[in-house]
């Protein structure tokens, strides 16, 4: 029987500190994501979803099976999110082609920041490719660009569980710290050529 297992973090659990603490990762990756994976495995057992790869589960369930979609999309989104982050002491540059699409690196940062702050309640802010166009979008709850024909390039999780231990209610400080110190622009560049 097929079942999804927990994906490993692509860095040590203290590699993102002080911007995201090891304690936050222990809860976020170790508890929240683990629960989505367990729920998904329980929900798909014995169904047609059981043998599908995760991205196909997401795209197939979006209009049909809300519970399966919520858990599958959250597994996908979190795997993607943790890959969008890099150790705090690694230096990377914003891809010029992407920044140019938004009028420069500062304008792209401001547009993403405004979008991430605009999410009411739980959700995600994304940089995506939609056809031939680069866009900054938000999704609510578990929703994900791959369910809507878009290619994700970068995301920040703005559910409170992503930042509350380190930043309490200060979502803006969390977004700025991630963008300025932890964004894995090499991963974003790889996604741009998909
Ligand atoms: Mn999360």
């Amino acid at each position: 029987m097929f079942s999804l297992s927990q994906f490993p973090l692509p860095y040590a659990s203290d590699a993102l500190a002080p911007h995201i603490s090891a304690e936050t990762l222990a809860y976020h990756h170790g508890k929240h994501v683990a629960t989505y994976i367990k729920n998904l495995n329980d929900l798909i057992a014995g169904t047609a979803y059981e043998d599908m790869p995760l991205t196909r589960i997401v795209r197939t369930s979006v209009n049909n099976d809300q519970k399966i979609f919520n858990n599958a999309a959250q597994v996908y989104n979190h795997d993607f999110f943790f890959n969008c982050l890099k150790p705090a002491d690694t230096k990377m540059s914003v891809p010029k082609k992407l920044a140019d699409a938004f009028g420069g690196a500062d304008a792209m940062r401001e547009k993403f920041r405004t979008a991430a702050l605009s999410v009411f309640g739980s959700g995600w802010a994304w940089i995506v490719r939609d056809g031939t166009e680069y866009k900054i979008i938000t999704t609510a709850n578990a929703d994900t660009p791959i369910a809507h024909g878009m290619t994700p390039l970068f995301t920040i999780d703005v559910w409170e569980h992503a930042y509350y231990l380190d930043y309490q209610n200060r979502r803006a400080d969390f977004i700025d710290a991630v963008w300025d110190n932890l964004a894995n622009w090499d991963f974003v560049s790889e996604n741009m050529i998909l």
Side-chain angles (χ1 to χ4, degrees), residues 28 78 157 161:
H28 198 179
H78 281 91
D157 182 348
H161 69 220

Side-chain angles (χ1 to χ4, degrees), residues 24-183:
T24 287
L25 281 180
Y27 279 96
H28 198 179
H29 177 262
K31 304 281 186 196
H32 288 279
V33 174
T35 299
Y36 295 129
I37 291 172
K38 183 187 185 308
N39 289 346
L40 181 62
N41 282 329
D42 290 348
L43 286 163
I44 66 176
T47 75
Y49 291 104
E50 200 174 41
D51 298 317
M52 294 182 191
L54 180 62
T55 52
R56 193 158 157 232
I57 297 175
V58 170
R59 293 182 177 115
T60 306
S61 62
V62 59
N63 295 315
N64 305 303
D65 295 289
Q66 193 66 45
K67 274 189 189 170
I68 289 176
F69 176 76
N70 285 342
N71 286 282
Q74 282 295 76
V75 176
Y76 174 84
N77 289 347
H78 281 91
D79 186 16
F80 189 83
F81 170 59
F82 287 122
N83 276 288
C84 286
L85 307 180
K86 54 117 183 114
D89 58 5
T90 306
K91 290 268 179 233
M92 288 186 193
S93 309
V94 177
K96 186 176 184 311
K97 183 182 167 192
L98 186 64
D100 286 350
F102 295 101
D106 291 346
M108 178 170 74
R109 182 185 186 280
E110 188 56 31
K111 190 169 186 196
F112 186 92
R113 186 179 197 275
T114 301
L117 286 173
S118 79
V119 175
F120 185 79
S122 297
W124 301 79
W126 303 86
I127 306 173
V128 300
R129 185 173 52 72
D130 185 9
T132 57
E133 214 180 328
Y134 295 122
K135 293 180 179 172
I136 288 168
I137 66 160
T138 63
T139 59
N141 300 313
D143 202 10
T144 180
I146 67 163
H148 308 285
M150 292 180 273
T151 303
L153 307 179
F154 178 75
T155 193
I156 296 181
D157 182 348
V158 293
W159 284 56
E160 280 190 346
H161 69 220
Y163 60 86
Y164 214 83
L165 286 175
D166 297 327
Y167 297 89
Q168 296 77 49
N169 61 321
R170 291 174 284 116
R171 185 192 286 182
D173 291 351
F174 167 68
I175 295 162
D176 291 347
V178 171
W179 185 278
D180 294 336
N181 301 286
L182 303 178

